[in-house]
Amino acid sequence: MEILKIEDLHVSFGGVKAVDGLNMNVEKGTLHALIGPNGAGKTTVFNAINGIVKKDSGRVIFKGMDITMLKTHRIASLGISRVFQNPALFKYMTVLDNILVGFHSKYEHGFVDEIIAGKKYQRELRRALSRAYYIADILEIKNRMGVYAANLPYGVQKMVELGRALMPEPSLLLLDEPAAGLSDSETRWLLEIIERIRNEMDITVIMIEHDMKLVMNISDVITVMDFGKKIAEGKPNEIRNNPEVLKAYLGGVKL
Amino acid sequence: MILNQIILGCVVGVYYSLVAIGLVLVYKVSGIVNFAYGNMGMMGAYIALLFLGKGMSPLASMLLVIPVAASMGYVVNRFTMRPLKGISHSSMLIVTLGIMMVFEGIAVQIFGADYKAFPELVKGRPFVFHIAGGLVLLRRQDLLVITIFAIFSVFMALLLKSTKIGLAMRAVSQDEQTAKLMGVNSNLIISIAWMISASLSAVVAILASPKTYISPGMMIHYQIEGFTAAVLGGFESLIVAALGGMLLGILETFVGDQLGNAFKPTISLAFIVAVLLIKPEGLFGRRKLEKL
Ligand SMILES: Nc1ncnc2c1ncn2[C@@H]1O[C@H](COP(=O)(O)OP(=O)(O)OP(=O)(O)O)[C@@H](O)[C@H]1O
Ligand SMILES: [Mg+2]
């Protein structure tokens, strides 16, 4: 069963056709990689799913529901989380507060409960905190909870962003180049975590990534884009030897 | 004597602090310096006067104005600021200046330009304190303002620190796009900030009106002083803005005492220029990395 369907998606900026008629199905429970050379339109696909960029045409279907026209915050609330290519943490917030923002759509209490600090508010706060610490434990950032995000090393910032994205128990996680800028050991650690996210947390992952070793290692399906179009799709070993793909990368990266 | 002046200065400054907090709140969440802010409060004061004319008590009139002012803040944001989102800062400034003048025009048309009295919310003999050999006279209304300031500050601090709305406000103020991706309805959050801000302005106008009288231009002075206080903190921090208001009040009191009242209105403007020349990011502001 597919959790996400992208149908004939077109996005352009001025004259640039960033995404040019993309069709893509993502099966529930898989780790689906989206690869392609720089400027291929991968990030734009994520932005279109999130409702950040205007789509010229096409549809995005999430769990059978047409989300093409929904507002960004509504799409997020439906269970689609995003981790950015460059960490976009709230700099002047602590790690804990950053992670808690991720829980925003899950709180069940209203404004009045907050004002009177009622039982419901306290219960919800406890629920958020316990999830925050559960995730921080997995990502090994528990001892950083009080630190301001701007003061964290790059690798840790990426972990915090991942933690924030996991807070609302999303059903779909969009990872934009999670390994970029990480050291080899951090990348190995990330690989482990991504596998846990898919297997234990039961979250479908779409991952944009340039690190081919990582991609070939953990992906169930790979979609390859070039100039806004899909040029190949399949299992890692099918992609590895696909002549179209080799041509697109033109010796840039050995698959 | 100095302590005396400081206390009196704080009594003056607490109004500026409240104005500054409302200005900074909206700026932080939506990036808009709202010059119409004081005049939204001025409209609120006139509406309170209407309630008063219907035989309501001053306090009831003020409380009834709060939802009216909140709606006014909502409407101004919803139908002018939100559609204009994304235009340059300077254009936005002109728009809020325009709205400020529209409010003033409406007030002149409907209510006339003459000064109208509004009673103090709490009556009674002023409190007299003997401090450091001098006498300090505090009107009950002044103490009420200080109390309201204290309560409001605690309210804002708790709201921003530990509630989901407060956290969302902080998130939107730092990075609206990312906040949206976390499921935060940023338009709603911005609306809430405008509603809080407009209510605050109305409360300040009503509390100040026994001193200033109600007139279309009654809030201009407060707007400027509040703006100055906000600049002291680089439009960054609510706390610094509040302290800045107090500081201005104290400064004004000293200048009035030492140099004469004629210098009072110029002092804050001279101060703002000096601060911007020496420390453009605000007296206590940290260097800005981005919008905020
Ligand atoms: N907001 C924007 N405004 C204008 N052009 C844009 C915008 N976003 C992307 N583009 C353009 O669209 C094309 C696709 O960009 P996109 O960021 O989606 O590529 P990408 O596959 O993510 O590349 P990379 O691997 O370098 O991250 C590029 O030509 C880019 O310049
Ligand atoms: Mg990209």
Side-chain angles (χ1 to χ4, degrees):
Chain A
M1 195 193 80
E2 67 261 322
I3 189 167
L4 187 83
K5 282 178 77 141
I6 297 175
E7 297 175 358
D8 197 28
L9 181 69
H10 289 261
V11 180
S12 57
F13 302 103
V16 181
K17 287 181 177 167
V19 181
D20 192 8
L22 180 76
N23 287 290
M24 185 172 153
N25 288 344
V26 179
E27 292 292 319
K28 189 172 181 309
T30 56
L31 201 158
H32 195 123
L34 183 57
I35 66 171
N38 289 104
K42 307 177 296 291
T43 299
T44 307
V45 172
F46 277 9
N47 287 342
I49 296 171
N50 285 135
I52 305 178
V53 295
K54 218 180 133 293
K55 304 164 195 71
D56 297 337
S57 61
R59 297 204 306 164
V60 182
I61 315 282
F62 177 61
K63 290 181 176 171
M65 179 183 174
D66 189 340
I67 61 165
T68 315
M69 303 307 283
L70 291 188
K71 294 226 172 81
T72 299
H73 70 93
R74 287 273 304 128
I75 293 170
S77 309
L78 290 174
I80 301 182
S81 272
R82 167 84 179 261
V83 175
F84 292 88
Q85 193 163 349
N86 303 303
L89 292 174
F90 302 110
K91 291 198 193 75
Y92 305 123
M93 277 189 200
T94 61
V95 169
L96 176 61
D97 282 351
N98 262 287
I99 293 179
L100 284 177
V101 176
F103 203 69
H104 185 83
S105 58
K106 300 297 277 190
Y107 286 114
E108 284 166 8
H109 64 283
F111 190 52
V112 177
D113 293 316
E114 301 208 311
I115 297 298
I116 60 172
K119 274 223 167 64
K120 205 168 177 189
Y121 162 72
Q122 314 219 351
R123 188 197 65 207
E124 288 300 296
L125 211 59
R126 269 200 304 277
R127 200 160 69 91
L129 281 172
S130 75
R131 174 138 185 100
Y133 276 93
Y134 162 71
I135 287 171
D137 202 25
I138 294 177
L139 302 180
E140 296 184 1
I141 48 175
K142 227 172 169 174
N143 56 347
R144 309 275 192 149
M145 292 300 240
V147 181
Y148 279 86
N151 300 335
L152 294 171
Y154 188 80
V156 182
Q157 286 192 27
K158 291 207 118 171
M159 281 299 157
V160 175
E161 229 199 291
L162 186 57
R164 185 176 66 179
L166 290 174
M167 269 305 273
E169 304 179 52
S171 35
L172 179 62
L173 179 64
L174 309 178
L175 294 175
D176 198 346
E177 301 196 21
L182 296 188
S183 68
D184 284 352
S185 67
E186 284 172 327
T187 305
R188 252 174 280 128
W189 163 227
L190 179 79
L191 192 143
E192 240 173 74
I193 287 176
I194 294 176
E195 288 190 315
R196 276 187 80 176
I197 289 171
R198 176 188 50 186
N199 302 338
E200 290 172 30
M201 298 186 186
D202 195 23
I203 296 172
T204 308
V205 180
I206 309 180
M207 178 178 77
I208 297 173
E209 186 50 64
H210 284 297
D211 184 333
M212 283 308 145
K213 230 174 87 200
L214 182 64
V215 169
M216 294 298 161
N217 229 321
I218 61 172
S219 309
D220 299 305
V221 184
I222 302 173
T223 298
V224 190
M225 281 181 82
D226 197 15
F227 294 111
K229 290 190 164 72
K230 178 160 87 180
I231 58 167
E233 191 168 70
K235 299 212 162 62
N237 49 22
E238 296 164 8
I239 294 301
R240 207 186 301 265
N241 305 312
N242 185 310
E244 282 284 330
V245 178
L246 293 173
K247 204 172 83 196
Y249 278 95
L250 210 65
V253 188
K254 200 160 155 287
L255 296 183
Chain B
M1 267 327 266
I2 287 188
L3 193 62
N4 231 326
Q5 304 264 334
I6 289 177
I7 292 171
L8 287 176
C10 284
V11 171
V12 176
V14 71
Y15 291 89
Y16 306 158
S17 302
L18 285 168
V19 172
I21 290 174
L23 275 171
V24 174
L25 183 65
V26 158
Y27 177 78
K28 286 207 69 146
V29 176
S30 66
I32 294 165
V33 177
N34 179 18
F35 277 102
Y37 171 61
N39 275 359
M40 298 202 297
M42 175 272 293
M43 294 300 278
Y46 274 111
I47 293 163
L49 206 57
L50 292 180
F51 288 136
L52 197 72
K54 293 258 181 291
M56 284 175 206
S57 74
L59 181 65
S61 306
M62 183 177 88
L63 293 178
L64 279 175
V65 162
I66 290 176
V68 179
S71 320
M72 186 160 45
Y74 178 84
V75 168
V76 169
N77 172 56
R78 177 64 189 80
F79 295 104
T80 64
M81 298 303 147
R82 199 188 294 174
L84 289 173
K85 207 172 199 169
I87 67 172
S88 74
H89 274 239
S90 40
S91 315
M92 202 52 115
L93 222 80
I94 296 298
V95 173
T96 65
L97 267 173
I99 296 169
M100 169 180 121
M101 289 191 270
V102 167
F103 273 128
E104 197 162 329
I106 292 175
V108 172
Q109 286 300 318
I110 301 181
F111 306 109
D114 46 331
Y115 289 73
K116 296 192 161 73
F118 192 91
E120 297 189 323
L121 262 58
V122 280
K123 297 200 178 62
R125 290 221 328 278
F127 295 103
V128 180
F129 298 97
H130 299 267
I131 295 170
L135 279 182
V136 179
L137 219 69
L138 283 186
R139 298 179 312 148
R140 284 167 194 255
Q141 177 97 351
D142 291 334
L143 285 179
L144 178 69
V145 177
I146 290 169
T147 312
I148 287 176
F149 171 74
I151 292 172
F152 184 74
S153 302
V154 172
F155 168 77
M156 280 313 291
L158 289 177
L159 181 80
L160 289 174
K161 187 157 177 6
S162 57
T163 68
K164 81 168 169 183
I165 299 219
L167 199 58
M169 273 187 178
R170 278 156 59 203
V172 170
S173 89
Q174 292 182 32
D175 185 344
E176 183 177 351
Q177 180 84 281
T178 304
K180 280 192 205 166
L181 282 164
M182 302 300 128
V184 175
N185 181 352
S186 61
N187 279 336
L188 177 67
I189 294 296
I190 292 171
S191 290
I192 291 174
W194 274 81
M195 289 162 78
I196 293 177
S197 170
S199 311
L200 186 61
S201 181
V203 168
V204 172
I206 292 167
L207 290 171
S209 54
K211 262 196 251 180
T212 61
Y213 291 93
I214 298 179
S215 76
M218 68 179 286
M219 289 301 280
I220 303 287
H221 174 67
Y222 288 101
Q223 174 84 35
I224 293 173
E225 300 292 335
F227 183 78
T228 310
V231 168
L232 290 181
F235 264 94
E236 268 283 339
S237 137
L238 295 176
I239 296 169
V240 176
L243 291 176
M246 298 288 185
L247 187 66
L248 277 182
I250 294 167
L251 208 67
E252 193 185 298
T253 309
F254 269 104
V255 169
D257 192 56
Q258 302 291 320
L259 302 174
N261 282 333
F263 284 95
K264 267 190 186 173
T266 39
I267 180 65
S268 63
L269 290 171
F271 203 60
I272 220 178
V273 173
V275 167
L276 289 176
L277 280 175
I278 299 162
K279 272 196 89 189
E281 70 272 21
L283 209 50
F284 311 100
R286 62 183 156 211
R287 214 154 53 83
K288 265 175 249 183
L289 300 168
E290 289 165 75
K291 176 182 97 182
L292 293 177

